[in-house]
């Protein structure tokens, strides 16, 4: 009975399979084997604990290594890693000098200079429409500095192509000149500067004394359109008269622009001035008349040293900054003009051309102004009424000192170049001295004389005798002559002494013979 009961219980727990299963144990009805959740949880928890312990151990070992072997001062290490968060009762930090440092010493870099307001203000490079701040201290690697400037130049070029002047107006450059020694030097430099301008340009060259072969030969190599205008008056030798004549020559060029209705922006470029390429982009912003700052390079001689009181008063009244340009207020509006202070150089300034002293500019140089050519036309669309008629300017002996004399209201001039803060051209007057010996038209004829002979001459003829060789030959000749004279004088003296000796010997012999006879 007991055995049958056990068999029945086993049959209830393990029902027989169907005949197709071969009489094996029957599977659960849902077809899945039941597993406990602890079988999956504990291995996952173990893996998680291993990862946490590994990360915590690495972090702990790193902090311990830095605390023990860091070359930094204890203050810096304590500030970087607060000790109240690191409870290490069994680890005692040793001084930095007790244990050798296992880390390489940090690179010692030169400390940056103290911040200066002027240096920070001037350390911004404008790249297109954006500004890049450049640190005031130099980079230790000059190759990296050159590479950085190349990158900035490329960025500026791309920004200029994308955001620059899309439809630039033509530029009309007016230059007064005359044939002189340094004309080739000045006109060649200005010519190459104008050929680099990417905008359409016409060069109006007004020559005093009529057209000359020298000026025509220089302008013939120009790749820009040139309009050469003759001016009948001769250029005077006094600087004050020359400034007045140059003003009349510029006024004559403006009348030619009005008669021919040349459209564009008029730029007054003297042949001896130096211009930047940024200037030709900046003048595209002008509407009618604009002004830019000009650097005056006139410090070729030392000014007089006045007393301290006069110097202080002069510093309060006039700034000694050699700049001519517009002065603006905080809102960017024109309120006046900054001119060159010529009082310290008044007694040492040049009076006539070719004098080897400082040359002073006029009160306001024409090169610091640009004009819309339509302002000169008799009839132009939108022409303002604060402009004088060009026919009424410069008549009845009126002297024109600057383009401001063309306006009825000079306060309407537009300041350019960040309101005159940026200098984009420089005024310079360098002329040959009156006693200079430069070759005529810079053509050397006859050929040059030999000052220093070559060690091996490529030509068969022997070089002519030089001055120092002639002097050496003369010295040798005089030495030989002196030696001959000394030799002849010595021979004569020896001959006389010999004669005297022979005479003395003869007298002695005669005396002896007389004594023997007695």
């Amino acid at each position: 009975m007991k055995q049958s009961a056990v068999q029945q219980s086993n049959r209830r727990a393990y029902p027989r399979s169907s005949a197709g299963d071969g009489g094996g144990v029957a599977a659960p009805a849902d077809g899945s084997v039941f597993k406990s959740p602890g079988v999956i949880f504990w291995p996952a928890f173990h893996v998680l604990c291993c990862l946490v312990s590994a990360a915590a151990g690495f972090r702990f070992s790193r902090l311990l290594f830095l605390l023990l072997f860091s070359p930094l001062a204890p203050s810096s290490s304590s500030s970087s890693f607060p000790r109240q968060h690191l409870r290490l009762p069994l680890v005692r930090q040793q001084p930095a000098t007790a244990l050798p440092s296992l880390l390489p010493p940090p690179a010692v870099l030169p400390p940056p200079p103290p911040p200066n307001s002027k240096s920070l203000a001037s350390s911004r490079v404008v790249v297109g429409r954006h500004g890049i701040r450049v640190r005031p201290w130099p980079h230790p690697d000059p190759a990296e500095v050159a590479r950085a400037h190349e990158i900035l130049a490329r960025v500026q070029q791309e920004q200029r192509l994308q955001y620059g002047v899309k439809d630039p107006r033509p530029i009309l450059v007016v230059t007064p000149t005359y044939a002189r020694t340094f004309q080739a030097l000045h006109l060649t430099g200005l010519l190459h500067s104008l050929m680099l301008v990417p905008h359409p340009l016409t060069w109006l060259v007004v020559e005093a004394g009529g057209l000359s072969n020298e000026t025509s030969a220089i302008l013939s190599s120009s790749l820009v359109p040139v309009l050469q205008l003759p001016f009948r008056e001769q250029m005077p030798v006094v600087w004050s008269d020359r400034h007045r004549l140059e003003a009349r020559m510029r006024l004559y060029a403006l009348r030619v622009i009005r008669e021919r209705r040349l459209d564009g922006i008029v730029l007054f470029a003297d042949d001896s001035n130096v211009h930047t390429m940024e200037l030709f982009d900046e003048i595209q912003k002008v509407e009618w008349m604009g002004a830019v700052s000009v650097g005056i390079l006139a410090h070729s001689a030392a000014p007089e040293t006045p007393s301290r009181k006069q110097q202080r008063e002069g510093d309060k009244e006039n700034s000694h900054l050699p700049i001519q340009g517009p002065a603006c207020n905080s809102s960017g509006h024109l309120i006046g003009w900054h001119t060159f202070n010529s009082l310290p150089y008044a007694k040492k300034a040049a009076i006539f051309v070719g004098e080897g002293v400082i040359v002073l500019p006029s009160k306001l140089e024409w090169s610091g102004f640009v004009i819309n050519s339509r302002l000169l036309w008799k009839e132009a669309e939108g022409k303002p009424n604060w402009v004088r008629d060009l026919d009424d300017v410069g008549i009845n002996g009126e002297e024109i000192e600057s383009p401001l004399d063309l306006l009825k209201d000079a306060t309407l001039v537009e300041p350019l170049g960040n309101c005159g803060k940026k200098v984009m051209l420089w005024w310079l007057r360098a002329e040959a001295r009156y006693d200079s010996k430069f070759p005529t038209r810079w053509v050397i004829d006859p050929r040059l004389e030999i000052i220093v002979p070559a060690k091996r001459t490529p030509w068969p003829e022997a070089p002519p005798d030089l001055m120092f060789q002639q002097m050496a030959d003369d010295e040798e000749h005089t030495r030989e002559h002196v030696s001959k004279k000394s030799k002849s004088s010595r021979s004569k003296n020896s001959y006389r002494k010999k004669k005297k000796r022979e005479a003395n010997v003869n007298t002695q012999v005669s005396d002896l013979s007389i004594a023997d006879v007695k």
Side-chain angles (χ1 to χ4, degrees):
M1 293 293 293
K2 292 180 180 181
Q3 184 176 2
S4 62
V6 172
Q7 290 178 355
Q8 290 178 0
S9 63
N10 291 336
R11 289 173 183 173
R12 294 190 191 100
Y14 304 101
R16 292 184 178 272
S17 59
S18 59
D21 295 337
V25 180
D30 54 355
S32 62
V33 180
F34 177 76
K35 294 183 180 180
S36 175
V39 177
I40 301 174
F41 172 76
W42 289 112
F45 182 74
H46 180 69
V47 172
L48 181 62
C49 290
C50 290
L51 294 176
V52 172
S53 61
F58 176 75
R59 179 66 178 173
F60 179 78
S61 63
R62 183 181 178 187
L63 294 177
L64 183 63
F65 182 78
L66 291 176
L67 289 174
L68 291 177
F69 305 110
S70 176
L72 300 177
S75 60
S76 63
S77 61
S78 61
S79 62
S80 301
F81 308 100
R83 292 186 178 182
Q84 61 269 19
H85 297 289
L86 301 175
R87 297 182 180 180
L88 305 174
L90 300 179
V91 179
R92 182 178 179 181
Q93 184 178 1
Q94 300 293 335
T97 57
L99 295 176
S101 177
L102 299 179
L103 294 177
V108 180
L109 297 177
N116 190 2
S117 60
K118 294 183 179 180
S119 62
L120 293 177
S122 62
S123 63
R124 178 174 291 274
V125 179
V126 178
V127 182
R129 299 184 305 171
H130 311 287
I132 296 179
R133 188 173 298 280
V134 181
R135 56 183 178 180
W137 63 90
H139 195 277
D141 189 1
E144 294 293 334
V145 176
R147 185 179 178 184
H149 282 286
E150 291 179 0
I151 295 175
L152 287 177
R154 291 185 180 181
V155 173
Q156 287 178 347
Q157 184 179 3
E158 292 297 329
Q159 293 282 354
R160 190 179 297 110
L161 293 176
Q162 294 182 8
Y163 306 105
V165 182
K166 296 299 181 180
D167 297 323
R169 289 177 287 178
I171 301 176
L172 307 175
V173 181
V174 176
T175 301
T177 185
Y178 69 102
R180 61 193 188 279
T181 304
F182 280 5
Q183 184 195 26
L185 172 67
H186 298 321
L187 273 185
T188 303
L190 181 59
L191 170 63
H192 287 280
S193 298
L194 296 181
M195 287 193 297
L196 296 176
V197 178
H199 309 314
L201 185 143
T202 302
W203 193 10
L204 287 81
V205 180
V206 186
E207 186 174 4
L211 303 181
S212 63
N213 295 330
E214 293 84 355
T215 307
S216 301
I218 298 173
L219 299 178
S220 61
S221 59
S222 174
L223 300 181
V224 297
V226 178
L227 180 59
Q228 193 173 0
L229 305 174
F231 198 77
R232 299 304 176 186
E233 297 184 30
Q234 297 290 336
M235 185 65 71
V237 296
V238 181
W239 276 110
S240 57
D241 298 337
R242 175 177 171 176
H243 291 324
R244 298 188 189 96
L245 182 61
E246 287 179 347
R248 293 196 295 269
M249 294 168 67
R250 298 185 186 98
L251 194 61
Y252 173 69
L254 296 181
R255 291 193 173 97
V256 172
I257 292 174
R258 184 192 61 176
E259 293 174 0
R260 302 192 180 188
R261 296 182 65 86
L262 299 179
D263 191 10
I265 302 172
V266 181
L267 173 67
F268 301 100
D270 297 342
D271 55 2
S272 59
N273 290 358
V274 182
H275 307 80
T276 61
M277 293 297 103
E278 188 179 357
L279 172 66
F280 299 94
D281 293 335
E282 185 69 20
I283 62 177
Q284 296 288 335
K285 303 177 182 178
V286 69
E287 183 178 2
W288 293 110
M289 178 178 285
V292 296
S293 294
V294 183
I296 306 297
L297 305 181
H299 293 277
S300 60
E304 292 184 350
T305 57
S307 61
R308 294 183 178 179
K309 184 177 180 180
Q310 293 178 355
Q311 188 175 3
R312 291 175 183 175
E313 292 177 358
D315 292 338
K316 291 180 181 179
E317 294 178 358
N318 297 320
S319 175
H320 294 282
L321 195 65
I323 299 296
Q324 171 202 310
C328 303
N329 54 12
S330 58
S331 59
H333 297 289
L334 180 68
I335 57 175
W337 301 95
H338 185 281
T339 59
F340 178 75
N341 184 19
S342 59
L343 294 178
Y345 308 93
K347 296 182 180 180
K348 291 188 176 182
I351 299 177
F352 59 89
V353 180
E355 193 175 0
V357 291
I358 184 174
V359 180
L360 296 178
S362 57
K363 185 178 294 185
L364 285 176
E365 285 291 330
W366 286 67
S367 57
F369 296 89
V370 291
I371 302 175
N372 189 346
S373 63
R374 297 190 178 187
L375 198 67
L376 308 172
W377 296 356
K378 291 186 177 181
E379 296 180 359
E381 183 179 358
K383 180 180 177 180
N385 55 2
W386 42 267
V387 183
R388 296 175 57 186
D389 190 1
L390 200 58
D391 294 334
D392 301 335
V393 178
I395 61 175
N396 299 327
E398 180 187 4
E399 296 294 339
I400 305 300
E401 295 183 355
S402 68
L404 297 180
D405 295 333
L406 305 176
L407 308 178
K408 299 178 182 178
D409 187 2
T411 60
L412 300 177
V413 178
E414 310 160 25
L416 303 176
N418 195 11
C419 202
K421 295 181 180 179
K422 193 167 185 179
V423 177
M424 289 178 286
L425 73 149
W426 295 269
W427 181 91
L428 175 64
R429 285 295 180 271
E431 299 295 345
R433 288 175 56 94
Y434 66 92
D435 55 351
S436 61
K437 297 181 180 180
F438 293 102
T440 305
R441 299 182 182 180
W442 297 99
V443 177
I444 302 171
D445 188 21
R447 61 184 181 181
L448 295 175
E449 299 178 357
I450 299 175
I451 304 300
V452 179
K455 294 182 179 180
R456 295 180 180 179
T457 55
W459 52 86
E461 301 105 33
D465 293 337
L466 303 180
M467 292 298 296
F468 66 89
Q469 292 181 354
Q470 294 177 2
M471 294 172 64
D473 295 341
D474 294 341
E475 290 179 359
E476 292 179 359
H477 181 68
T478 53
R479 288 176 183 175
E480 291 178 358
H481 188 63
V482 171
S483 63
K484 288 181 180 180
K485 285 185 177 180
S486 61
K487 287 181 181 179
S488 61
S489 60
R490 288 176 185 175
S491 61
K492 289 180 180 179
N493 293 333
S494 61
Y495 180 73
R496 290 174 183 174
K497 289 179 180 180
K498 189 176 181 180
K499 287 285 187 180
K500 288 181 179 180
R501 288 176 184 176
E502 291 178 354
N504 293 331
V505 170
N506 293 332
T507 53
Q508 290 177 3
V509 171
S510 61
D511 292 339
L512 290 174
S513 61
I514 292 171
D516 292 338
V517 171
K518 289 180 178 181

